[in-house]
Amino acid sequence: MATIGATDVQRPVSVLFVCLGNICRSPMAEGVFRTLTKTDKRVGKVDSAGTGAYHEGCPPDPRTMSVLEENGDIDYNHEARKVRSSDFKDFDFVLAMDDENLHDLLRLQIRLVRNSGAHAAPAKVMLFGDFGGKKGEQVVDPYYGARDGFTIAYEQMVRFSSGFIEQVLQDGDAEEVAGK
Ligand code: 4NP
């Protein structure tokens, strides 16, 4: 379990994956991460959401599901939802798929802190790709493209998830990882 906050309290780490529509990339990230950490007691709540509400209530894109199923990640259901203020309190990590998602999330978090006081939104908001070995790697939106965009994204999800597990769960200092 990671050490979180100034105190040395150790508890399971919760993670929210975020993209724009919450039907392609972030549900794929959630599905992959859930599979890789299925029996891992160091992991708590795992979910995904979108910065936009276009597809609220919809299941993941069929291409996301087929890539997950092709790789054995079949035990997964999700309904798209928009990011909410409470996410910044309920999750230790909020992980964006691209720079635009990251920008939107940081703006939301700042607004929330301004409105309700310091420490109201302690989540570490980062680019998921920062865990892949190359700082700043983004997951390109595959929605309007061909299926291979989804297979490329899948490879990234596996690599980023493995990096997260190694850097946050095994190394154990979430504050240091987040650069705070
Ligand atoms: P996602 O992909 O952000 O990876 O879920 C998208 C899905 C839908 C739309 C954009 C991106 N859309 O504009 O409807």
Side-chain angles (χ1 to χ4, degrees):
M1 284 178 218
T3 303
I4 295 173
T7 53
D8 247 8
V9 178
Q10 299 223 322
R11 58 180 171 77
V13 173
S14 53
V15 188
L16 179 71
F17 297 98
V18 178
C19 59
L20 173 60
N22 191 213
I23 56 168
C24 298
R25 292 166 293 173
S26 59
M28 186 188 283
E30 183 191 344
V32 168
F33 190 77
R34 278 183 183 278
T35 299
L36 291 177
T37 60
K38 204 170 191 162
T39 56
D40 196 328
K41 301 247 182 312
R42 300 168 300 183
V43 176
K45 189 161 49 163
V46 180
D47 198 2
S48 64
T51 55
Y54 320 105
H55 298 278
E56 218 149 26
C58 296
D61 187 285
R63 294 166 294 179
T64 285
M65 289 312 295
S66 89
V67 169
L68 284 175
E69 283 163 13
E70 205 171 82
N71 288 281
D73 304 327
I74 47 171
D75 200 12
Y76 177 63
N77 281 299
H78 183 72
E79 272 188 19
R81 73 166 177 91
K82 193 169 187 250
V83 171
R84 39 187 179 247
S85 314
S86 56
D87 288 331
F88 296 98
K89 289 179 267 175
D90 294 344
F91 290 90
D92 299 309
F93 282 86
V94 176
L95 301 176
M97 298 299 131
D98 63 31
D99 284 344
E100 193 180 320
N101 308 148
L102 181 64
H103 177 260
D104 290 344
L105 286 167
L106 289 170
R107 236 185 30 201
L108 267 173
Q109 190 182 32
I110 287 167
R111 197 184 314 151
L112 180 68
V113 172
R114 271 204 202 115
N115 291 345
S116 50
H119 307 303
K124 291 148 198 58
V125 180
M126 299 173 66
L127 201 59
F128 189 27
D130 283 347
F131 292 99
K134 290 176 254 168
K135 199 95 181 141
E137 186 175 342
Q138 302 186 61
V139 184
V140 174
D141 186 351
Y143 184 62
Y144 293 106
R147 191 177 185 275
D148 70 339
F150 287 78
T151 54
I152 291 166
Y154 182 85
E155 178 278 321
Q156 290 181 296
M157 303 311 179
V158 173
R159 191 156 43 83
F160 301 168
S161 294
S162 304
F164 184 91
I165 291 164
E166 210 175 282
Q167 293 167 49
V168 177
L169 303 180
Q170 282 164 21
D171 291 353
D173 190 339
E175 295 291 327
E176 195 178 306
V177 168
K180 296 198 172 181

